[in-house]
Amino acid sequence: MEQSVALWLSALLLFMKRLLLIPTLLFAAIPALAAAALDSTIRAVTVYNDRAIVTRSARAELHEGINELLIEGLPASLLDDSLQASGNGTATATILDISTREHFVAATPDPRRAALEEQLTSLREEKRSLSDRAALIKTQRDLIERLQNSAVSIASGVEKAERPKLAEVQETLAYGKAETEKLNAALQALDRELAVLEEQISAQQHQLDELPPVSPRRSVKTATLRVQASHAGDLDIELRYTTPHAGWRPSYDARVFTADNRVELGYYAQVRQSTGEDWENVALTLSTARPSLGGHAPKLSPWPLDLLAEESDSPPGIRPLARQAELLASPAPAAAQARMTFDLVSADYAEAQVDRSASVATFQVEAPATIPSDNSAKKISVTTLDLEAELAYRATPKRLPTAFLDASVRNTSDYPLLPGKMSVFVDHGFVASSRLEHTSPGDAFNLALGADEGIAITHKQTRRFTEQVGLMTRSTRNSYEYLITVKNNKAGPVHLIVSDQVPVSRNEKISVKVQAPAARDAKPDAEGLLEWALDLAPGETRELPLKFSIEYPQGLSVSGL
């Protein structure tokens, strides 16, 4: 009986061992889920005025089942909510999810900053080594000085037989002098090397300071994609994310050709970025959209009016303007700050094609661009516009007897001209720096092209007198006469607009009468300003008389005379 029980227990134990082995065999048949780190490169970047959308590309070899893919070394500043991924390839795959994780590193992840910091560390170590050598030389020099002093000193109580001989003293002094000279020369050489090192350290430190500041948190991010593949194959992945610390601003070079009445407007983009990763040979797109403004127009809050509280010391009435300003300054509702998703509109920069129907304009730069992550401005050519200009000279000889050239230019292109700095050139010569305001297609803008000494202008007073008029009611009349002379010394005809003024009466007792010019030539406006529009042939001289009188009751004092 006992033997039968023992055999039954042995059989049961063997069955349980085999049963426990089945899950192990089953799990061994399932492929292990191992994370694969992918090599990725930045392929394209779309830059807005305050951020950028970066597109990275990578290739993955997928096995059947669930694959975990890692894209490492992403900037810590990327916005996690903006992370998107797509892919295509020979594998039939589904992207299950995507997430990011921040990793802290011992050294700064910015390679440019890391290289400068390493160079600074090396230079400072070399400086310390030289400083140690200089300290050692100074110690040797002090020892020699003490040896010389001991050679010539005679201790009290020493017998004459023990005193050093003159020859020995001279030999010691000569040796000390030679060695001191050698040590001084070596010390001077070290001082020169230290001075050079100090300059190099200062220069490297300035370069480091020019880089954008970094967060004390030295970190990078890793994107993790989980992909389900129905069968093995490869998959080309595109990873897109938004990162701040990037933007672009327009700038312009306006080249005016006076002989052709033409303006060649160079449209440039000043692109900066300090995202933490360099953009090397990327397809660059510039967008005029402003995502920071949100997707909707802000809503107004109620502007209530009420009487002041009875216990207030202020008199009853409307709430003060300070309260109104407080209401106007109240924060907009959260809906006004909602994020907007933009459909990027492709535009062929080379042919200057812009979609007018889109809410934003995008410029696709033709050549690959490289933008380092050092916040330095990279000037990139967008296009060159050939625009017609209406040139005219303007002068206000009462203030300054000089003619200034102006150009009225109409934007006949499909490009919106955004506000930006502009350098102005006239016939290949630089004349001024100015600013171009926002100019939509079809609108006009003015260019101030500076003074032109080719037109001679003089302004002088030819006559002024005061007289008493009237029989029954005596009045005082002041009469003024001026003469403006202009001469075109240029080789071609010019259009010149000359401005001047007459006084304006602010009292019915004061009367201003204009005798010249005639109304058909120049008529003062409500503020007394008048303009002559002249077309001058080469070498032509024109005289412009200005005569007016001011009459007021005798005995009154008139301000402004």
Side-chain angles (χ1 to χ4, degrees):
M1 180 67 178
E2 294 178 355
Q3 186 177 6
S4 299
V5 172
L7 291 174
W8 181 83
L9 290 174
S10 298
L12 179 61
L13 182 61
L14 180 61
F15 174 76
M16 292 181 66
K17 287 182 178 179
R18 291 177 178 177
L19 186 64
L20 292 173
L21 186 62
I22 291 175
T24 304
L25 295 175
L26 289 175
F27 284 122
I30 300 176
L33 184 63
L38 305 179
D39 292 331
S40 65
T41 57
I42 299 177
R43 183 180 58 81
V45 178
T46 299
V47 185
Y48 299 87
N49 69 325
D50 63 346
R51 67 193 66 192
I53 295 179
V54 179
T55 301
R56 279 182 172 268
S57 60
R59 168 164 288 193
E61 297 293 334
L62 304 182
H63 58 73
E64 184 178 346
I66 297 178
N67 298 259
E68 189 173 278
L69 309 175
L70 304 179
I71 298 181
E72 302 172 329
L74 302 179
S77 61
L78 75 84
L79 305 180
D80 295 338
D81 294 341
S82 68
L83 200 61
Q84 303 177 47
S86 60
N88 59 75
T90 59
T92 303
T94 302
I95 298 178
L96 301 178
D97 55 52
I98 181 171
S99 61
T100 59
R101 184 172 54 186
E102 189 172 8
H103 300 277
F104 294 92
V105 294
T108 175
D110 185 354
R112 187 173 292 97
R113 180 176 288 275
L116 288 174
E117 290 177 349
E118 184 178 354
Q119 292 173 9
L120 271 174
T121 301
S122 177
L123 290 173
R124 286 174 177 144
E125 290 177 351
E126 187 177 353
K127 176 186 174 182
R128 181 174 179 179
S129 176
L130 293 180
S131 299
D132 292 342
R133 287 172 56 189
L136 181 60
I137 290 175
K138 290 178 181 178
T139 302
Q140 292 175 341
R141 190 175 60 182
D142 293 341
L143 289 174
I144 291 176
E145 183 179 355
R146 287 199 294 270
L147 177 62
Q148 290 176 311
N149 292 335
S150 64
V152 298
S153 63
I154 302 176
S156 60
V158 179
E159 297 295 335
K160 291 183 178 180
E162 298 177 358
R163 293 179 179 178
K165 297 179 181 180
L166 180 59
E168 294 176 351
V169 172
Q170 291 176 342
E171 183 179 354
T172 301
L173 293 177
Y175 168 77
K177 178 182 178 182
E179 289 299 314
T180 301
E181 290 177 351
K182 291 180 183 178
L183 293 176
N184 286 337
L187 196 59
Q188 291 175 1
L190 285 177
D191 288 342
R192 287 192 293 269
E193 291 185 44
L194 282 170
V196 173
L197 272 179
E198 286 287 356
E199 293 178 356
Q200 293 176 350
I201 290 173
S202 177
Q204 292 290 336
Q205 186 63 52
H206 284 312
Q207 290 187 26
L208 190 61
D209 294 340
E210 287 296 318
L211 295 180
V214 296
S215 170
R217 296 161 56 93
R218 294 181 173 181
S219 60
V220 293
K221 285 186 177 179
T222 297
T224 303
L225 287 78
R226 289 197 318 125
V227 181
Q228 173 78 49
S230 58
H231 60 83
D234 57 32
L235 182 68
D236 291 326
I237 298 173
E238 277 195 355
L239 187 72
R240 291 179 298 279
Y241 52 88
T242 300
T243 178
H245 312 307
W248 73 281
R249 297 290 183 273
S251 65
Y252 306 91
D253 285 348
R255 303 183 181 276
V256 182
F257 300 95
T258 56
D260 303 329
N261 286 0
R262 183 173 60 87
V263 173
E264 187 179 88
L265 187 66
Y267 198 156
Y268 299 95
Q270 302 282 351
V271 184
R272 297 175 182 266
Q273 67 103 350
S274 56
T275 61
E277 54 186 4
D278 293 339
W279 303 338
E280 297 183 359
N281 295 323
V282 300
L284 187 66
T285 301
L286 308 173
S287 176
T288 63
R290 294 190 289 173
S292 59
L293 296 182
H296 303 280
K299 295 182 179 179
L300 295 175
S301 300
W303 185 352
L305 298 178
D306 198 357
L307 296 178
L308 295 174
E310 294 181 0
E311 61 271 16
S312 174
D313 294 333
S314 302
I318 299 177
R319 287 186 183 271
L321 291 178
R323 173 58 179 159
Q324 300 176 17
E326 180 183 347
L327 292 172
L328 290 176
S330 61
Q337 302 175 3
R339 184 166 27 197
M340 181 176 182
T341 302
F342 291 91
D343 295 329
L344 302 181
V345 182
S346 298
D348 189 348
Y349 143 72
E351 297 181 3
Q353 295 177 354
V354 178
D355 188 353
R356 290 176 180 263
S357 63
S359 60
V360 299
T362 57
F363 309 121
Q364 184 175 353
V365 179
E366 185 178 27
T370 296
I371 314 293
S373 177
D374 59 1
N375 207 36
S376 62
K378 185 69 175 290
K379 188 175 181 179
I380 297 176
S381 176
V382 176
T383 188
T384 300
L385 306 178
D386 198 354
L387 308 175
E388 293 183 358
E390 294 182 4
L391 301 180
Y393 290 88
R394 291 184 175 272
T396 310
K398 180 180 179 179
R399 294 297 185 190
L400 187 66
T402 303
F404 293 83
L405 181 60
D406 283 350
S408 178
V409 185
R410 186 166 299 278
N411 180 15
T412 55
S413 72
D414 291 331
Y415 287 88
L417 304 179
L418 304 179
K421 294 182 179 179
M422 180 168 56
S423 298
V424 182
F425 303 81
V426 177
D427 295 331
H428 306 290
F430 176 77
V431 294
S433 293
S434 62
R435 180 174 177 81
L436 179 65
E437 300 302 328
H438 187 280
T439 307
S440 299
D443 291 346
F445 61 93
N446 290 323
L447 293 177
L449 306 180
D452 192 330
E453 302 299 335
I455 299 177
I457 302 176
T458 60
H459 180 281
K460 63 181 180 179
Q461 187 180 75
T462 58
R463 190 180 182 191
R464 175 183 177 181
F465 61 93
T466 302
E467 57 184 331
Q468 305 299 323
V469 296
L471 296 176
M472 303 298 295
T473 304
R474 303 292 290 174
S475 300
T476 301
R477 180 188 294 164
N478 293 335
S479 298
Y480 300 84
E481 296 183 8
Y482 297 90
L483 183 63
I484 302 172
T485 304
V486 296
K487 182 179 180 182
N488 178 17
N489 295 321
K490 300 179 70 66
V494 298
H495 182 69
L496 175 64
I497 299 175
V498 180
S499 299
D500 212 313
Q501 65 182 151
V502 296
V504 178
S505 173
R506 301 300 188 191
N507 191 295
E508 60 182 7
K509 295 181 179 181
I510 303 173
S511 173
V512 178
K513 296 182 179 179
V514 179
Q515 289 83 36
R520 64 177 180 277
D521 297 328
K523 183 178 181 180
D525 62 11
E527 295 300 322
L529 302 179
L530 49 84
E531 292 182 344
W532 289 268
L534 310 175
D535 290 311
L536 301 176
E540 182 180 356
T541 300
R542 192 83 61 89
E543 292 184 345
L544 308 175
L546 176 61
K547 300 179 183 180
F548 59 89
S549 63
I550 306 170
E551 188 172 331
Y552 52 90
Q554 186 177 2
L556 292 182
S557 297
V558 178
S559 63
L561 290 179

